[in-house]
Amino acid sequence: MRIGVITFPGSLDDRDAMRAIRLAGAEPVALWHGTHDLQGVDAIVLPGGFSYGDYLRCGAIAARSPIMAEVIDAANGGMPVLGICNGFQILVETHLLPGGLIRNDHGDFIRRDQRLRVESTDSAWTSGFFVGQEITIPLKNGEGGYIADESTLDRLEGEGLVAFRYLDVNPNGSLRDIAGLRNERGNVVGLMPHPEHAVEPGFGPDTRDAMRSGVDGLTFFTSVLTATLASA
C-alpha cells in the first residue's frame, strides 16, 4: 500500500508522518502542494505544521493549493484522507469536514501529551481501536479550538461523527471537547493531536510501563492499511 504525504510551505511533520507510515508497513510517498499529481497513492495524509505561515487563517491558503483539488476529488471518491493538526484545519477549510478551528481560548500555544477517548471506529483510520478506548497522543497547537453552530454539533453527535474527545482537560476550548471528526462515509478523519509522534517505543508519550513508550498513534496507520487491503 502506498500512502501519500503532502508537503506544503511551512509543513513541519511531513517526515514524521512518512516514518509512521513506514513503521506501519506501508510505503510513504512524498507529494508536493504545487502539483496535481497524487502519484497513484491509496491514501493521503495532510500533515501538521504552519502551511503558508498560517496567513489569513490556518489552512485557508493550503486548502486552495493545486494538489487539494485532486485530494478533494479523491476524498469524495472514497480515498482515505487523514488530516493532522494543520491538516485538520485544511480539511475544514475545504469543507471535507464541517466547522472551524480558532485560536486557543487561553491564547497560548500548548504542547502536552493528551489523553483522548475514542468515540467512533467507523472509519478507515480508527477501525483498529474500540469505542471508549482511552489513548494518549501528543498535542501541539495554537489554534486548535473546534467550533461549529449548535445544529452542526448536534448532527455530529447524533450521527456518530465525533471520532475523538479530550479527556481530563480541554486544552484549547474546543466545543463539546471535540478532538477529532470523521465524515459520513468514514474515509476522511481529522484531529488536532499528532498520532505520528506516538508510533515508536522510546519516542512517544510516557506510559505506566516506561517513559516515552506510548505507541497509540501507530493504530491510525495500521488501521488504514488493514481497511484498504480488506476492500481491495
Side-chain angles (χ1 to χ4, degrees), residues 67-157:
I67 203 168
M68 286 307 299
E70 316 306 320
V71 173
I72 292 168
D73 286 346
N76 288 333
M79 181 181 288
V81 177
L82 176 66
I84 302 169
C85 195
N86 189 223
F88 186 14
Q89 294 163 339
I90 295 170
L91 288 177
V92 300
E93 288 288 343
T94 59
H95 306 295
L96 286 171
L97 292 174
L101 291 147
I102 62 171
R103 186 75 182 169
N104 296 348
D105 60 350
H106 45 72
D108 295 325
F109 187 92
I110 188 166
R111 178 180 63 85
R112 69 192 309 270
D113 290 343
Q114 178 67 50
R115 290 183 69 240
L116 306 173
R117 183 171 62 242
V118 179
E119 300 286 357
S120 174
T121 58
D122 294 328
S123 85
W125 301 94
T126 63
S127 58
F129 296 110
F130 60 83
V131 174
Q133 184 174 349
E134 297 181 3
I135 62 176
T136 302
I137 302 291
L139 173 79
K140 49 177 184 175
N141 64 72
E143 299 189 32
Y146 181 76
I147 59 169
D149 58 41
E150 285 298 315
S151 62
T152 299
L153 291 169
D154 288 342
R155 181 178 68 83
L156 293 173
E157 301 277 12

Side-chain angles (χ1 to χ4, degrees), residues 1-4 29 31 36-44 79:
M1 180 178 176
R2 302 171 75 242
I3 303 177
V29 178
L31 302 177
H36 288 278
D37 187 4
L38 296 182
Q39 299 187 35
V41 298
D42 303 295
I44 296 168
M79 181 181 288

